[in-house]
Coordinates of all heavy atoms in Angstrom, one line a residue:
V993 N 34.8 36.6 139.8 CA 34.1 37.6 139.0 C 33.1 38.4 139.9 O 32.2 37.8 140.6 CB 33.2 36.9 137.9 CG1 32.4 37.9 137.1 CG2 34.1 36.0 137.0
G994 N 33.3 39.7 140.0 CA 32.4 40.6 140.6 C 31.4 41.1 139.6 O 31.8 41.3 138.4
H995 N 30.2 41.4 140.0 CA 29.2 41.9 138.9 C 28.2 42.7 139.6 O 28.0 42.7 140.8 CB 28.6 40.7 138.2 CG 27.6 39.9 139.0 ND1 28.0 38.9 139.9 CD2 26.3 40.0 139.2 CE1 27.0 38.4 140.5 NE2 25.9 39.1 140.1
L996 N 27.5 43.5 138.7 CA 26.3 44.3 139.1 C 25.4 44.3 137.9 O 25.9 44.3 136.7 CB 26.8 45.7 139.4 CG 25.7 46.6 140.1 CD1 25.3 46.0 141.4 CD2 26.3 48.0 140.3
I997 N 24.1 44.1 138.1 CA 23.1 44.0 137.1 C 22.0 45.1 137.2 O 21.6 45.4 138.3 CB 22.4 42.6 137.2 CG1 23.4 41.5 137.1 CG2 21.3 42.5 136.1 CD1 22.8 40.2 137.3
T998 N 21.6 45.6 136.1 CA 20.4 46.5 136.1 C 19.5 46.1 135.0 O 20.0 45.7 133.9 CB 20.8 48.0 135.9 OG1 19.7 48.8 136.2 CG2 21.4 48.3 134.6
P999 N 18.2 46.1 135.2 CA 17.6 46.4 136.4 C 17.8 45.3 137.5 O 18.1 44.2 137.1 CB 16.1 46.5 136.0 CG 15.9 45.7 134.8 CD 17.3 45.7 134.1
D1000 N 17.5 45.6 138.7 CA 17.6 44.6 139.8 C 16.6 43.5 139.6 O 15.6 43.7 138.9 CB 17.3 45.3 141.2 CG 18.4 46.2 141.7 OD1 19.6 46.0 141.2 OD2 18.2 47.1 142.5
G1001 N 16.9 42.4 140.1 CA 16.0 41.2 140.0 C 16.6 40.2 139.1 O 17.7 40.3 138.6
P1002 N 15.8 39.2 138.7 CA 16.2 38.2 137.8 C 16.6 38.7 136.5 O 16.2 39.8 136.0 CB 15.0 37.2 137.7 CG 14.1 37.6 138.8 CD 14.4 39.0 139.1
I1003 N 17.5 38.0 135.8 CA 17.9 38.3 134.4 C 16.7 38.5 133.5 O 15.7 37.7 133.6 CB 18.8 37.2 133.8 CG1 20.1 37.1 134.6 CG2 19.0 37.3 132.3 CD1 21.1 38.2 134.3
A1004 N 16.7 39.5 132.7 CA 15.6 39.8 131.8 C 16.2 40.3 130.5 O 17.3 40.8 130.5 CB 14.6 40.8 132.4
R1005 N 15.4 40.2 129.4 CA 15.9 40.8 128.2 C 16.2 42.3 128.4 O 15.3 43.0 129.0 CB 14.8 40.6 127.1 CG 15.3 41.0 125.7 CD 14.2 40.9 124.7 NE 13.6 39.5 124.6 CZ 13.9 38.7 123.6 NH1 14.6 39.1 122.6 NH2 13.4 37.5 123.7
G1006 N 17.3 42.7 127.9 CA 17.7 44.1 128.1 C 18.5 44.4 129.4 O 19.1 45.5 129.5
S1007 N 18.7 43.4 130.3 CA 19.5 43.6 131.4 C 21.0 43.9 131.0 O 21.5 43.3 130.1 CB 19.5 42.4 132.3 OG 18.3 42.1 132.9
T1008 N 21.6 44.8 131.7 CA 23.0 45.1 131.5 C 23.8 44.6 132.7 O 23.4 44.8 133.8 CB 23.3 46.6 131.3 OG1 22.6 47.1 130.2 CG2 24.7 47.0 131.2
I1009 N 24.9 43.9 132.4 CA 25.7 43.2 133.4 C 27.1 43.8 133.3 O 27.7 43.6 132.3 CB 25.7 41.7 133.3 CG1 24.3 41.1 133.3 CG2 26.5 41.1 134.4 CD1 24.2 39.7 132.8
V1010 N 27.6 44.4 134.4 CA 29.0 44.9 134.5 C 29.7 43.8 135.2 O 29.3 43.4 136.3 CB 29.1 46.2 135.1 CG1 30.6 46.6 135.3 CG2 28.4 47.3 134.3
Q1011 N 30.8 43.3 134.7 CA 31.6 42.3 135.3 C 33.1 42.8 135.5 O 33.6 43.5 134.7 CB 31.7 41.1 134.4 CG 30.4 40.5 134.0 CD 30.5 39.5 132.9 OE1 31.3 39.6 132.0 NE2 29.7 38.4 133.0
R1012 N 33.6 42.3 136.6 CA 35.0 42.6 136.9 C 35.7 41.2 137.2 O 35.3 40.5 138.1 CB 35.2 43.5 138.1 CG 34.8 44.9 137.8 CD 35.1 45.8 138.9 NE 34.8 47.2 138.5 CZ 34.9 48.2 139.3 NH1 35.4 48.0 140.6 NH2 34.6 49.4 138.9
I1013 N 36.7 40.9 136.4 CA 37.4 39.7 136.5 C 38.9 40.0 136.8 O 39.5 40.9 136.1 CB 37.3 38.9 135.1 CG1 35.9 38.6 134.8 CG2 38.2 37.6 135.2 CD1 35.7 38.0 133.4
G1014 N 39.4 39.3 137.8 CA 40.8 39.7 138.1 C 41.4 38.7 139.1 O 40.8 37.8 139.6
V1015 N 42.7 39.1 139.4 CA 43.5 38.3 140.3 C 44.2 39.3 141.2 O 44.7 40.3 140.7 CB 44.5 37.4 139.6 CG1 45.4 36.7 140.6 CG2 43.8 36.4 138.7
G1016 N 44.2 39.1 142.5 CA 44.9 40.0 143.4 C 44.1 41.3 143.5 O 42.9 41.3 143.8
V1017 N 44.8 42.4 143.1 CA 44.2 43.7 143.2 C 43.9 44.3 141.8 O 43.5 45.5 141.8 CB 45.0 44.7 144.1 CG1 45.1 44.2 145.5 CG2 46.4 44.9 143.4
I1018 N 44.2 43.6 140.8 CA 44.0 44.1 139.4 C 42.8 43.4 138.8 O 42.7 42.2 138.7 CB 45.2 43.9 138.5 CG1 46.4 44.5 139.2 CG2 45.0 44.4 137.1 CD1 46.5 46.0 139.2
F1019 N 41.8 44.2 138.3 CA 40.6 43.7 137.7 C 40.3 44.4 136.4 O 40.6 45.5 136.2 CB 39.4 43.9 138.6 CG 39.5 43.2 139.9 CD1 40.1 43.9 141.0 CD2 39.1 41.9 140.1 CE1 40.3 43.2 142.2 CE2 39.3 41.2 141.3 CZ 39.9 41.9 142.4
V1020 N 39.8 43.6 135.4 CA 39.4 44.1 134.1 C 37.8 44.2 134.2 O 37.2 43.2 134.5 CB 39.8 43.2 133.0 CG1 39.3 43.7 131.7 CG2 41.3 43.2 132.9
E1021 N 37.3 45.4 133.9 CA 35.9 45.6 133.9 C 35.4 45.7 132.5 O 36.0 46.3 131.6 CB 35.6 47.0 134.6 CG 34.2 47.4 134.6 CD 34.0 48.8 135.2 OE1 33.9 48.9 136.4 OE2 33.9 49.7 134.4
S1022 N 34.2 45.1 132.2 CA 33.6 45.1 130.9 C 32.1 44.8 131.1 O 31.7 44.6 132.3 CB 34.2 44.1 130.0 OG 34.1 42.8 130.5
A1023 N 31.3 44.9 130.1 CA 29.9 44.8 130.2 C 29.3 44.0 129.1 O 29.8 43.9 128.0 CB 29.2 46.1 130.3
T1024 N 28.1 43.4 129.4 CA 27.3 42.6 128.4 C 25.8 43.0 128.5 O 25.4 43.6 129.5 CB 27.4 41.1 128.7 OG1 26.9 40.9 130.1 CG2 28.8 40.6 128.6
R1025 N 25.1 42.7 127.5 CA 23.6 42.9 127.6 C 22.9 41.7 127.2 O 23.2 41.0 126.2 CB 23.2 44.0 126.6 CG 21.8 44.4 126.7 CD 21.4 45.8 126.3 NE 22.2 46.8 127.0 CZ 22.9 47.7 126.4 NH1 23.0 47.8 125.1 NH2 23.6 48.6 127.2
V1026 N 21.8 41.4 128.0 CA 21.0 40.2 127.8 C 20.1 40.4 126.6 O 19.4 41.4 126.5 CB 20.2 39.8 129.0 CG1 19.3 38.6 128.8 CG2 21.1 39.5 130.2
V1027 N 20.2 39.5 125.6 CA 19.4 39.6 124.4 C 18.3 38.6 124.2 O 17.4 38.7 123.4 CB 20.3 39.6 123.1 CG1 21.2 40.9 123.1 CG2 21.1 38.4 123.0
D1028 N 18.3 37.6 125.1 CA 17.3 36.5 125.0 C 17.2 35.8 126.3 O 18.2 35.6 127.0 CB 17.7 35.5 123.9 CG 16.5 34.7 123.4 OD1 15.4 34.9 123.9 OD2 16.8 33.8 122.6
V1029 N 16.0 35.5 126.7 CA 15.7 34.7 128.0 C 14.7 33.7 127.6 O 13.7 34.0 126.9 CB 15.2 35.6 129.1 CG1 14.9 34.7 130.3 CG2 16.2 36.7 129.4
W1030 N 14.8 32.4 128.0 CA 13.8 31.4 127.7 C 13.6 30.5 128.9 O 14.5 30.3 129.7 CB 14.2 30.6 126.5 CG 15.6 29.9 126.6 CD1 15.8 28.7 127.0 CD2 16.8 30.5 126.3 NE1 17.2 28.4 127.0 CE2 17.8 29.5 126.5 CE3 17.2 31.8 125.8 CZ2 19.2 29.8 126.3 CZ3 18.6 32.0 125.6 CH2 19.5 31.0 125.9
D1031 N 12.4 29.9 128.9 CA 12.1 28.8 129.9 C 11.0 28.0 129.2 O 9.8 28.4 129.1 CB 11.5 29.5 131.2 CG 11.4 28.5 132.3 OD1 11.5 27.2 132.0 OD2 11.1 28.9 133.4
T1032 N 11.3 26.9 128.6 CA 10.4 26.2 127.7 C 10.3 24.7 128.1 O 11.1 24.2 128.7 CB 10.9 26.2 126.2 OG1 12.2 25.5 126.2 CG2 11.1 27.6 125.7
V1033 N 9.1 24.2 127.7 CA 8.8 22.8 127.9 C 8.4 22.2 126.5 O 7.6 22.8 125.9 CB 7.7 22.5 128.9 CG1 7.3 21.1 129.0 CG2 8.0 23.2 130.3
A1034 N 9.1 21.2 126.1 CA 8.7 20.5 124.8 C 7.5 19.7 125.0 O 7.4 18.8 125.8 CB 9.9 19.6 124.3
P1035 N 6.5 20.0 124.2 CA 5.2 19.3 124.3 C 5.3 17.8 124.0 O 4.6 16.9 124.5 CB 4.3 19.9 123.3 CG 5.0 20.9 122.6 CD 6.4 21.0 123.1
S1036 N 6.3 17.4 123.1 CA 6.4 16.0 122.7 C 7.0 15.1 123.8 O 6.5 14.0 124.0 CB 7.4 15.9 121.5 OG 8.6 16.5 121.8
D1037 N 7.9 15.6 124.6 CA 8.5 14.7 125.6 C 8.7 15.3 127.0 O 9.2 14.7 127.9 CB 9.9 14.2 125.1 CG 10.9 15.3 124.9 OD1 10.6 16.5 125.3 OD2 12.0 15.1 124.5
G1038 N 8.2 16.6 127.2 CA 8.3 17.2 128.5 C 9.7 17.7 128.9 O 9.8 18.2 130.0

C-alpha cells in the first residue's frame, strides 16, 4: 500500500488519505477521510 496524507503530520480529524493498493505494476487508487481520533485513559482502571 502506497499512500499520501493531507495535511502533513500525524493523523487528525479531517485528514484525507489517498491509497494505492496493487501487485506488480497495476494499482488501484482510492481515498478515505478521518472522522474520529482518540487517545483516552479510563479513570476506573487506567
